[in-house]
Amino acid sequence: MVHDGSRQSVGGDPEAHPEICAHGLRNPWRFDVDHETGDVWIGDVGQYCTEEISVIRGGAADASPNLGWPSYEATRPFLVDEFGDIDQHHEPILTLPHERVACSVVGGVVYRGAAFPEAKGAFVFTDSCDDVLRFVHADGDAVTVDEASLPISQVVAIDVDVDGELLLSSLVDGIHRVVPAAP
């Protein structure tokens, strides 16, 4: 994309660059665009208490939603006194509190492969501090999460192969293909 340098109002901010899809992120650790819906899924690493998964429906190219950081850490006020409140910030679709072992969300991919038909359309992610692979389905306001234990630890990346099947990269266990359990 070539941009001529001019600015236009994006997300209500007349100084925003039009190529910015979203702002108010702390440390997005992987995002994916669902090529069937245009939704942008983001795993955003929290500061002290909460990890978050956000989704921007249809890419929201002209809306540039503010996901809240640093005024909010997920849904929790964080530095509101210093940075001000954000009217109607775009809240995450899912949060993982640190007291549940979470410490660093690893965003992944929207699954469109064939090996796990029940996971089709789910955003697949994990946390580098636990050994659980999560599948988030969001249908309107209804959000469900399915979980599967992993035989590897410290996953830092999730991707797909040429057939759309899941690959996991671990700091200690290498790269692994995710396959269905034997019957």
Side-chain angles (χ1 to χ4, degrees):
M1 174 176 157
V2 176
H3 181 58
D4 66 5
S6 64
R7 293 185 182 189
Q8 63 189 39
S9 178
V10 176
D13 182 352
E15 294 298 313
H17 289 271
E19 61 269 59
I20 296 173
C21 176
H23 57 285
L25 295 151
R26 181 184 174 272
N27 184 12
W29 193 260
R30 186 67 195 262
F31 73 94
D32 193 30
V33 177
D34 183 345
H35 295 286
E36 287 192 16
T37 65
D39 295 346
V40 178
W41 288 83
I42 306 165
D44 197 8
V45 177
Q47 176 74 20
Y48 295 121
C49 299
T50 311
E51 306 300 300
E52 65 185 86
I53 301 294
S54 295
V55 61
I56 302 169
R57 298 291 183 193
D62 60 343
S64 188
N66 187 334
L67 279 67
W69 181 259
S71 295
Y72 290 87
E73 179 182 19
T75 57
R76 181 180 76 82
F78 186 67
L79 295 174
V80 172
D81 291 341
E82 186 174 336
F83 291 94
D85 199 357
I86 299 165
D87 290 338
Q88 300 177 357
H89 81 278
H90 189 88
E91 291 193 355
I93 196 165
L94 183 69
T95 60
L96 288 92
H98 285 192
E99 61 265 11
R100 287 187 52 206
V101 184
C103 76
S104 184
V105 70
V106 177
V109 296
V110 175
Y111 181 74
R112 296 287 179 192
F116 302 95
E118 67 282 359
K120 193 165 285 243
F123 181 68
V124 183
F125 76 99
T126 189
D127 189 283
S128 65
C129 294
D130 67 17
D131 302 333
V132 179
L133 195 61
R134 295 171 180 86
F135 301 82
V136 180
H137 289 277
D139 184 13
D141 290 336
V143 177
T144 59
V145 181
D146 294 315
E147 297 181 345
S149 295
L150 290 172
I152 63 174
S153 59
Q154 293 184 358
V155 172
V156 293
I158 301 172
D159 212 332
V160 293
D161 63 15
V162 296
D163 295 321
E165 299 305 335
L166 294 168
L167 299 170
L168 306 176
S169 178
S170 161
L171 288 176
V172 295
D173 297 314
I175 298 174
H176 290 258
R177 182 177 313 280
V178 179
V179 295

